[in-house]
């Protein structure tokens, strides 16, 4: 495969990516990182088309404009990866670096610097922007998936190959110039494929992770739902069979919450639930976990907490809810909560644990609500 064919392949490859991205989620708004990446591919597609027609178009178009657009595409490529990593300030460094790169290349072109040196400088600029994207992928390395680690290694090696091609071509005149150029464009072609498939697979991986998170999260309150809470509770159920401090469970129900939904509507009800959750969390440690079981019922896991201490925590929560005026657009509501408290026992299953906590909660409601009741102590009949 000759150099001209590789340039054409790069041009057609980026054009096909642009077409695919145009129809990708056409009817929905794309993320900012995806939009940046799409613009990057458009710049690269135009750049490779201009470079392919070198000798047909004027040099200032095929060489100067073509390379400038190529640098812009590589810079935005790196910016999209920084954006996806949550670093929104990437423009403060990447865009000035792009401006400097385009200015230096334009100066080399206008002052008729040797083509070999100009080509070497262009290779180093491209490699530098690629390595910037690799640095974005390296963030939170310990949490990185195998896919992201593979992309770091492969893109890093290809970037170094592109940089080495430029340095060797300029520093060692005895090297086969055509062979080095072929190696450089080959590395760029592999980088295009790796970057394209890698970015799309990373986006899919991120979306899959978000969907998995939503499966265990209650959207209205931001705490785990029943499934998520049960998953978090499972290891503590196993630890209960070992000696040591127990783990407590508190089941909380907001008194007469149905009246809020009936009188003010579900949006107000959701806002009230969120306020109550925030109030409860203020009474908890970072290691404690609160989850929504459904409706106005919540569960609170208190690791390494005795029954006496759990009752004190539950009482603080009850008092905080009672003292909290919940402001809505139509009224200021005064709410109360009933709570049942127990600890995980060695013989417990999830069913028996929640049955015991729920019985304590029902006792609190029957006793007049707005109170804390502990579960009945274990008896020999229960063992």
């Amino acid at each position: 495969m000759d150099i001209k064919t590789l340039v054409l392949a790069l041009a057609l490859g980026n054009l096909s990516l642009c077409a695919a991205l145009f129809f990708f989620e056409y009817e929905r708004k794309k993320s900012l990182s995806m939009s940046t990446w799409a613009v990057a591919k458009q710049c690269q597609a135009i750049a490779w088309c201009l470079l392919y027609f070198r000798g047909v178009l004027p040099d200032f178009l095929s060489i100067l404009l073509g390379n400038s657009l190529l640098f812009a595409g590589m810079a935005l490529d790196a910016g999209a990866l920084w954006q996806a990593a949550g670093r929104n300030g990437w423009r403060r460094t990447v865009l000035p670096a792009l401006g400097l790169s385009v200015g230096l290349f334009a100066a080399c072109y206008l002052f008729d610097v040797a083509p070999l040196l100009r080509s070497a400088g262009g290779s180093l600029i491209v490699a530098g922007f690629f390595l910037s994207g690799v640095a974005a992928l390296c963030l939170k390395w310990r949490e990185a998936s195998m896919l992201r680690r593979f992309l770091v290694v492969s893109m890093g090696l290809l970037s170094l190959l592109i940089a080495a091609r430029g340095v060797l071509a300029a520093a060692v005149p005895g090297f086969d110039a055509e062979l080095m150029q072929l190696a450089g464009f080959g590395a760029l072609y592999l980088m295009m494929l790796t970057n394209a498939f890698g970015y799309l697979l990373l986006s899919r991986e991120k979306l899959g992770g978000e969907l998995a998170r939503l499966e265990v999260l209650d959207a209205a309150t931001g705490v785990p739902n029943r499934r998520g809470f049960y998953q978090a509770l499972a290891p503590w159920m196993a630890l209960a069979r070992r000696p040591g401090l127990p783990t407590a469970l508190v089941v909380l129900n907001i008194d007469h919450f149905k009246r809020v939904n009936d009188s003010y509507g579900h949006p107000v009800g959701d806002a009230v639930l969120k306020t109550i959750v925030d109030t409860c969390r203020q009474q908890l440690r970072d290691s404690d976990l609160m989850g929504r079981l459904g409706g106005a019922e919540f569960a609170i896991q208190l690791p390494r907490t005795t029954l006496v201490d759990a009752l004190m925590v539950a009482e603080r929560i009850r008092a905080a809810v009672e003292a909290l005026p919940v402001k809505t657009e139509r009224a200021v509501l005064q709410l109360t909560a009933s709570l049942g408290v127990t600890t995980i026992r060695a013989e417990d299953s999830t069913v028996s644990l929640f049955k015991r906590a729920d019985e304590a909660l029902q006792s609190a409601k029957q006793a007049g609500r707005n109170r804390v009741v502990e579960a009945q102590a274990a008896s020999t009949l229960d063992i």
Side-chain angles (χ1 to χ4, degrees):
M1 183 181 291
D2 61 8
I3 295 172
K4 199 77 171 176
T5 306
L6 273 174
V7 174
L8 179 61
L10 285 162
L12 294 177
N14 281 282
L15 284 172
S16 63
L17 270 174
C18 291
L21 288 170
F22 177 78
F23 292 104
F24 179 71
E25 294 186 342
Y26 177 75
E27 296 179 349
R28 291 187 291 174
K29 185 178 180 181
K30 299 181 182 67
S31 65
L32 185 56
S33 62
M34 181 62 76
S35 298
T36 303
W37 194 63
V39 174
K41 294 307 166 189
Q42 291 167 15
C43 290
Q44 292 175 37
I46 298 171
W48 287 119
C49 287
L50 291 173
L51 290 170
Y52 179 75
F53 288 106
R54 181 179 178 181
V56 178
L57 296 173
D59 281 353
F60 78 90
L61 286 177
S62 60
I63 297 177
L64 182 56
L65 181 59
N67 280 282
S68 298
L69 285 173
L70 186 62
F71 298 158
M74 304 307 180
L76 292 175
D77 220 327
L81 291 173
W82 283 107
Q83 186 75 45
R87 301 300 178 88
N88 300 326
W90 61 269
R91 295 175 185 82
R92 291 194 293 269
T93 53
V94 173
L95 294 185
L98 172 60
L100 179 62
S101 301
V102 171
L104 288 174
F105 188 86
C108 291
Y109 174 78
L110 294 174
F111 290 103
D112 202 20
V113 174
L116 203 59
L117 292 175
R118 194 172 62 207
S119 177
S123 296
L124 290 174
I125 290 170
V126 168
F129 284 129
F130 276 137
L131 287 173
S132 175
V134 170
L137 292 174
C138 287
L139 296 177
K140 298 182 180 178
W141 179 256
R142 292 184 179 181
E143 304 170 15
S145 63
M146 290 303 296
L147 170 63
R148 187 142 63 96
R149 295 184 180 194
F150 165 75
L151 291 174
V152 167
V153 173
S154 58
M155 290 175 63
L157 290 175
L158 289 170
S159 300
L160 293 176
L161 179 59
I162 294 168
R165 173 258 172 187
V167 172
L168 290 175
V172 187
F175 265 79
D176 188 333
E178 186 175 351
L179 179 61
M180 291 301 298
Q181 198 171 24
L182 187 63
F185 280 108
L188 283 168
Y189 183 73
L190 290 175
M191 181 67 85
M192 180 195 72
L193 294 177
T194 304
N195 176 270
F197 287 109
Y199 189 89
L200 293 175
L201 287 173
L202 282 175
S203 298
R204 184 178 179 84
E205 182 181 73
K206 184 177 180 180
L207 179 61
E210 183 66 19
L211 290 175
R213 188 182 71 87
L214 291 175
E215 287 181 356
V216 295
L217 192 72
D218 178 61
T221 59
V223 299
N225 57 20
R226 180 184 290 269
R227 179 179 178 181
F229 188 85
Y230 278 25
Q231 286 180 3
L233 185 65
W236 295 98
M237 297 288 294
L239 286 174
R241 297 179 177 87
R242 302 179 184 179
L245 286 175
T247 292
L249 177 72
V250 179
V251 177
L252 175 152
N253 187 270
I254 302 173
D255 298 328
H256 305 298
F257 182 74
K258 188 175 182 300
R259 296 178 184 174
V260 176
N261 281 334
D262 292 344
S263 302
Y264 303 101
H266 289 280
V268 172
D270 289 345
V272 169
L273 290 176
K274 184 69 171 63
T275 302
I276 296 295
V277 167
D278 292 341
T279 301
C280 293
R281 279 175 156 176
Q282 292 173 9
Q283 309 301 320
L284 302 174
R285 304 166 296 184
D286 291 339
S287 58
D288 300 333
L289 178 67
M290 185 173 187
R292 185 181 180 187
L293 301 180
E297 188 165 290
F298 296 86
I300 302 170
Q301 172 192 315
L302 304 173
R304 298 183 177 87
T305 305
T306 63
L307 181 61
V308 173
D309 290 336
L311 288 169
M312 292 174 59
V313 173
E315 179 58 32
R316 286 206 311 267
I317 291 173
R318 185 206 63 77
V321 172
E322 183 182 27
L324 178 71
V326 181
K327 298 179 181 179
T328 69
E329 293 181 357
R330 297 172 56 186
V332 177
L333 306 177
Q334 292 291 150
L335 299 172
T336 59
S338 301
L339 302 94
V341 184
T342 188
T343 55
I344 302 176
R345 300 169 187 170
E347 70 278 7
D348 264 332
S349 65
T350 304
V351 174
S352 64
L353 173 65
F354 276 91
K355 182 175 182 295
R356 188 168 62 252
D358 192 62
E359 287 173 351
L361 174 63
Q362 296 306 318
S363 297
K365 290 183 177 181
Q366 293 169 5
R369 304 180 190 271
N370 190 25
R371 64 192 63 225
V372 176
V373 172
E374 67 177 278
Q376 293 183 354
S379 65
T380 56
L381 295 176
D382 298 328
I383 301 175

